[in-house]
Amino acid sequence: MARALVSVSDKTGVVEFAKGLEALGFEIVSTGGTLKVLKENGVKAIDISEVTKFPEMFDGRVKTLNPYVHGGILHRRDLEEHVETAKAHGIVGIDLVCVNLYPFKATIERTDDFDEIIENIDIGGPAMVRSAAKNFNDVIIVTDPNDYVPVLEALKNGQNTLQMRRGLMIKAFEHTAAYDSMIANYMNKRFNEGFGEKQFIVGNKVFNTRYGENPHQKGALYEFDDFFSKNFKTLKGEASFNNLTDISGAVKIAAAFGDENAVCIVKHGNPCGFAIRDNLIDAYVDALKCDPVSAFGGVVAVNGVVDKALAQKMNEIFLEVIIAGQITPEAQEVFASKKRIKLFEYGSDKLIVSDDAYDFKHISGGFVYQDADKVKEEEIEKAECKSKRQASEQEMKDLEIAYKVAALTKSNCVVYVKNSAMVAVGMGMTSRVDAARCALKKAEEMGLDVTGAAMASEAFFPFRDSIDAAAAAGIKAIIEPGGSIRDDEVIAAADEHDIALYFTGVRHFLH
């Protein structure tokens, strides 16, 4: 008779699975709470203590760490010596192990009680999972309730193949690796400010992208927790690697203003249009004015619901991607004839941004890791006015928009905003002066009047030349971090030109 060991923290579907195994002739061995649930539901399960010939002890800390358990799992059925040793010691083979681990994540989210957290670090569970995974040639290891039905079907149909067991083995090692990574990261966060000797970045695969940045590269999307699985919905098309990075940038900007009707247009990771208006159609129209040439084939993030009227307006040019809180069925119909457009939504009234605590970037030979950068509302609200002139209410709104967009735009960058719409942007430059000039030149080409606009820089101006250039363009308000050894010259220049100048004291480089 085949034997299965079933011991799970997540008891979803476990009764049905155990009954299915019983029907196939498996003898069920179980532990603790799982044993109780199985017996209450009519499964003839054997207590693990009957197998180990030893009682559970130390409040359940030791119950499966025993040769009768691990010998039953690990001995190789193809080696006569292993089989004879098992017989000699009365070790019965365990042919299927169904285990998932103590809810460590749920515990650290629920409590800061370190004693309780320690007790929710599973020891016997990972040991059994690893034993079964190591011996996948002979043993089936099941760690995911989603695999219960496929495994039962395979057993019913005589398809207990090496390929199936190998797939479950890989999943099992992923399971224990992710679990141990979570514990190590938590301990480093608690005791080493999140920066220990090892840093583990673990994501769950959502889907393969068609390819990476270029056709010769493979690519895939991985998520933290269930962010994309729960929120991100594909309505039309297939998200590429580059689409996903552009979507991330566009959504961060469009969602940075709460519930306001914001629209952001991104091309190659950088914003080329942004506006906030009383309605989304006006926001889109005015965002498009900033750089309609770059917007062609771009990514548009809409902080709200795309309805039929907005869809018809957007459908006037070629857009590659639209991402919104929701896109109504009527709006989707407007885009139906466009083969190349891709539509995605979050299934919500507004865009959703994951509040990641950390950020990292690959560099040759490793990665750099840091606290995630976020613009705090008080940076703008408590920005210090350094000039004689103070900004008007509308200018303060423009400064807020310019500052937040600048923080999410590749450095060096300068952003110009007028009446809650971006009118010029210069980004990714080696010189801040070049960024300012490039932005103004582009605005002139687009026929956009920047007179009276607000300007933001994500880092300090090292010289007064940028202020002089801004004044020549008609800029009336500037926000920047400050901190240059020539701040006094910059402030003096602002006063000479009657420009309102604000320092936030916080730099937001993005490389």
Side-chain angles (χ1 to χ4, degrees):
M1 178 183 284
R3 176 175 275 189
L5 195 161
V6 181
S7 179
V8 294
S9 290
D10 179 0
K11 295 177 175 56
T12 305
V14 72
V15 171
E16 293 78 6
F17 184 54
K19 286 182 176 179
L21 291 173
E22 271 192 327
L24 291 166
F26 277 81
E27 181 180 57
I28 308 295
V29 176
S30 192
T31 68
T34 308
L35 177 71
K36 184 172 182 288
V37 168
L38 294 182
K39 283 192 167 183
E40 286 173 352
N41 286 275
V43 177
K44 297 176 182 177
I46 300 170
D47 192 323
I48 193 73
S49 297
E50 294 181 33
V51 174
T52 62
K53 302 176 174 62
F54 224 80
E56 286 187 23
M57 56 180 56
F58 311 123
D59 299 315
R61 281 187 167 204
V62 176
K63 52 192 171 191
T64 60
L65 297 170
N66 184 284
Y68 285 108
V69 173
H70 287 276
I73 297 169
L74 276 167
H75 78 274
R76 288 178 55 177
R77 279 65 160 174
D78 61 332
L79 292 181
E80 187 176 343
E81 182 184 350
H82 280 210
V83 174
E84 290 302 319
T85 300
K87 283 183 181 177
H89 292 281
I91 294 172
V92 178
I94 295 172
D95 308 290
L96 184 149
V97 174
C98 175
V99 169
N100 54 57
L101 310 178
Y102 289 177
F104 185 80
K105 183 175 186 296
T107 304
I108 60 177
E109 288 175 347
R110 176 174 48 81
T111 182
D112 198 44
D113 183 337
F114 195 61
D115 288 339
E116 184 176 352
I117 287 166
I118 286 290
E119 290 309 314
N120 276 279
I121 296 175
D122 206 330
I123 304 300
M128 288 189 291
V129 170
R130 289 171 60 82
S131 291
K134 178 173 180 173
N135 204 23
F136 73 94
N137 207 50
D138 297 310
V139 180
I140 301 169
I141 173 62
V142 184
T143 56
D144 183 352
N146 291 320
D147 289 325
Y148 292 168
V149 171
V151 167
L152 287 175
E153 286 299 315
L155 291 172
K156 284 178 189 175
N157 298 321
Q159 294 176 340
N160 178 11
T161 63
L162 179 63
Q163 183 179 4
M164 180 192 81
R165 294 195 302 277
R166 187 168 56 216
L168 292 169
M169 172 269 289
I170 294 169
K171 203 167 187 178
F173 281 123
E174 289 173 340
H175 188 57
T176 56
Y179 190 77
D180 282 336
S181 297
M182 178 170 49
I183 295 169
N185 283 349
Y186 171 79
M187 294 302 176
N188 272 323
K189 182 179 178 182
R190 183 159 188 144
F191 299 111
N192 291 319
E193 298 181 321
F195 293 84
E197 293 302 309
K198 302 282 185 186
Q199 191 61 251
F200 300 98
I201 298 168
V202 179
N204 298 313
K205 190 175 185 181
V206 184
F207 54 73
N208 289 322
T209 54
R210 191 175 172 191
Y211 46 76
E213 280 185 284
N214 300 287
H216 62 275
Q217 296 168 270
K218 291 182 180 178
L221 170 66
Y222 291 82
E223 65 182 347
F224 298 133
D225 296 322
D226 299 317
F227 179 75
F228 284 94
S229 297
K230 285 180 179 176
N231 302 304
F232 190 77
K233 298 179 181 179
T234 299
L235 302 177
K236 188 178 190 296
E238 176 186 20
S240 71
F241 183 100
N242 293 328
N243 290 158
L244 290 164
T245 57
D246 284 348
I247 286 169
S248 178
V251 168
K252 282 181 181 179
I253 294 173
F257 302 89
D259 291 336
E260 294 195 72
N261 292 313
V263 172
C264 180
I265 307 173
V266 159
K267 191 69 171 289
H268 299 308
N270 286 309
C272 59
F274 177 86
I276 293 174
R277 291 289 180 263
D278 291 336
N279 62 77
L280 289 169
I281 292 182
D282 288 344
Y284 168 72
V285 169
D286 288 340
L288 187 62
K289 287 177 182 176
C290 182
D291 189 353
V293 175
S294 295
F296 187 86
V299 172
V300 181
V302 178
N303 192 36
V305 178
V306 176
D307 59 15
K308 184 178 180 179
L310 178 55
Q312 288 170 334
K313 193 65 185 174
M314 298 173 89
N315 208 30
E316 291 176 0
I317 67 167
F318 169 60
L319 298 170
E320 185 174 1
V321 173
I322 297 173
I323 174 74
Q326 290 184 56
I327 303 175
T328 67
E330 293 79 14
Q332 292 176 49
E333 188 60 33
V334 171
F335 299 115
S337 62
K338 291 274 184 86
K339 290 184 179 180
R340 294 170 61 192
I341 198 167
K342 302 174 183 180
L343 306 177
F344 308 98
E345 69 170 23
Y346 286 102
S348 174
D349 289 342
K350 298 291 179 180
L351 294 170
I352 298 173
V353 179
S354 176
D355 189 26
D356 297 328
Y358 298 100
D359 184 24
F360 60 93
K361 183 178 292 187
H362 170 254
I363 60 172
S364 184
F367 60 91
V368 284
Y369 189 88
Q370 64 179 353
D371 295 327
D373 188 29
K374 297 180 175 95
V375 176
K376 297 177 180 176
E377 294 300 327
E378 57 261 31
E379 289 178 38
I380 302 145
E381 292 170 0
K382 296 180 181 178
E384 188 178 355
C385 183
K386 293 290 187 176
S387 57
K388 294 173 183 175
R389 181 180 182 273
Q390 291 193 333
S392 67
E393 185 178 350
Q394 180 59 54
E395 286 169 344
M396 283 305 301
K397 182 62 180 178
D398 291 346
L399 288 172
E400 176 197 359
I401 293 170
Y403 186 74
K404 286 182 176 179
V405 172
L408 294 163
T409 300
K410 295 289 177 66
S411 300
N412 286 322
C413 78
V414 176
V415 177
Y416 299 83
V417 173
K418 182 177 178 179
N419 296 326
S420 300
M422 189 169 74
V423 289
V425 58
M427 78 290 281
M429 299 291 185
T430 53
S431 159
R432 198 159 301 280
V433 177
D434 287 344
R437 287 173 180 164
C438 179
L440 292 171
K441 183 181 178 182
K442 192 69 172 279
E444 185 180 355
E445 290 174 358
M446 295 298 161
L448 295 172
D449 181 10
V450 299
T451 303
M455 181 176 79
S457 169
E458 88 289 14
F460 63 69
F461 288 110
F463 303 100
R464 66 168 286 162
D465 50 6
S466 292
I467 308 299
D468 293 333
I475 302 306
K476 286 299 181 184
I478 297 173
I479 190 167
E480 55 136 316
S484 167
I485 58 172
R486 293 182 176 85
D487 275 347
D488 288 345
E489 295 176 24
V490 171
I491 294 167
D495 283 337
E496 283 177 31
H497 298 299
D498 196 30
I499 292 174
L501 177 65
Y502 290 81
F503 284 3
T504 65
V506 183
R507 188 188 77 183
H508 290 285
F509 269 154
L510 178 64
H511 288 96

